[in-house]
Amino acid sequence: MSRFLIVEARFYDHLNDMLISGAKAALENAGHEVEILTVPGALEIPGAIAMAVEAGGYDGFVAIGVVIRGETYHFEIVAGESARGIMALTMDGIAIGNGILTTENEAQAIVRADPEQSNKGAGAAEAAMALLKLQEKIR
């Protein structure tokens, strides 16, 4: 059994709840222990994961959040920089599944977040588990 930390940017409660439900179910059904940490926004997720890695105690991570395009350039910054931060950590060998949705509107986010539809939370958890398994195989 491994320990996974879901780091969520709680901004859209109903969407996050769906993503977490899918991620948590996938991890627990695979026999893993799960904890959840909440941060203010998607930009804070990579930093929180880096802090958790430094503190130790977790084998893998799932990033959860929703960024919906608005009327300003802020969407591109948040979507791009949160993904870049997660990718940098992954390139350092940390098992992270990226479940931060970046959508044009709430309807797209609902389809992707809903465990009965696209279930992207579970997909992110499965990616984290696959990377952890690969990490263990390589070591």
Side-chain angles (χ1 to χ4, degrees), residues 26-116:
L27 292 166
E28 289 177 344
N29 288 343
H32 301 297
E33 187 179 321
V34 179
E35 290 183 39
I36 299 170
L37 175 69
T38 301
V39 297
L43 288 174
E44 290 75 39
I45 291 174
I49 291 173
M51 289 178 211
V53 167
E54 187 174 320
Y58 298 101
D59 303 299
F61 302 87
V62 180
I64 295 291
V66 179
V67 183
I68 298 175
R69 184 179 298 279
E71 296 177 5
T72 68
Y73 185 70
H74 187 66
F75 171 86
E76 281 82 6
I77 293 170
V78 174
E81 291 302 311
S82 62
R84 185 196 60 75
I86 290 168
M87 183 57 67
L89 293 168
T90 302
M91 295 298 290
D92 285 340
I94 301 166
I96 305 171
N98 188 350
I100 301 174
L101 302 182
T102 53
T103 64
E104 296 293 326
N105 54 54
E106 186 176 355
Q108 289 178 349
I110 289 170
V111 169
R112 286 159 179 76
D114 187 352
E116 299 299 318

